[in-house]
Amino acid sequence: SGTKLHTVANAVTFSNTTTETDLFTFSLAGGTLGTANAVQGRMTIGTLAGVSGTFTIRLKYGATTLTSSAITLSSTYETGVYEFVLFGDGTTSAQEASDKWFSVREFTGAMGGTITGTHFVTASATSAIDSTSAQTLKVTGQFSNANASNAITVSDVVITKIQ
């Protein structure tokens, strides 16, 4: 467990665009990571009828993209969880990050359908950002193709500090 830093209950939905879009953004106070603290985030993701291309999710800290993970879309409903951890790596100007995205594909196009596949994607990275100053922490999403059927909804974001 940890200290709650930020929550978002309102859903963010976007579709039919190739523009990179913020799924959530948060100003992480300077000194939060220190030399050995961490923040973790978790969000619920539902992808509705993504029929073409890929969907990429990115974790960003300051002006740096730390991780970038993509899944291939299909014509069935997907729901899942995206999680990340960002931690101070020995000094206030060194960080490590990792993320994972797990989703389940359902045949019927609605919750409770038959599971027809899963996605599990992970990534990790290091950065050298001054964590003594406030930095923007955000997760973005981007479709590779603009298609009216490509849509994603993100809800229930929770960011906690681990020390």
Side-chain angles (χ1 to χ4, degrees):
S1 77
T3 304
K4 178 182 75 170
L5 298 177
H6 183 68
T7 59
V8 178
N10 298 333
V12 172
T13 301
F14 73 97
S15 63
N16 199 21
T17 182
T18 58
T19 302
E20 186 175 14
T21 302
D22 290 352
L23 301 179
F24 90 87
T25 185
F26 171 65
S27 179
L28 188 62
T32 301
L33 293 178
T35 60
N37 295 327
V39 294
Q40 66 181 5
R42 179 181 173 97
M43 67 177 71
T44 303
I45 297 179
T47 304
L48 304 176
V51 296
S52 66
T54 60
F55 182 77
T56 302
I57 195 164
R58 296 179 182 95
L59 173 63
K60 300 184 176 200
Y61 179 59
T64 302
T65 297
L66 297 173
T67 63
S68 181
S69 302
I71 64 167
T72 301
L73 301 172
S74 70
S75 60
T76 56
Y77 180 85
E78 280 196 40
T79 187
V81 174
Y82 174 78
E83 298 178 325
F84 67 85
V85 177
L86 172 65
F87 57 95
D89 189 21
T91 72
T92 57
S93 62
Q95 301 83 35
E96 287 194 33
S98 64
D99 72 356
K100 62 184 173 186
W101 177 1
F102 177 77
S103 62
V104 175
R105 183 174 297 153
E106 298 182 75
F107 177 71
T108 62
M111 293 299 290
T114 303
I115 295 174
T116 61
T118 61
H119 284 114
F120 183 74
V121 181
T122 64
S124 62
T126 60
S127 62
I129 297 167
D130 178 8
S131 69
T132 63
S133 299
Q135 300 289 342
T136 300
L137 179 64
K138 69 178 168 178
V139 174
T140 65
Q142 186 172 21
F143 289 103
S144 62
N145 298 329
N147 183 308
S149 294
N150 288 351
I152 188 165
T153 300
V154 174
S155 61
D156 306 326
V157 179
V158 178
I159 309 297
T160 55
K161 178 181 178 183
I162 305 167
Q163 48 190 27

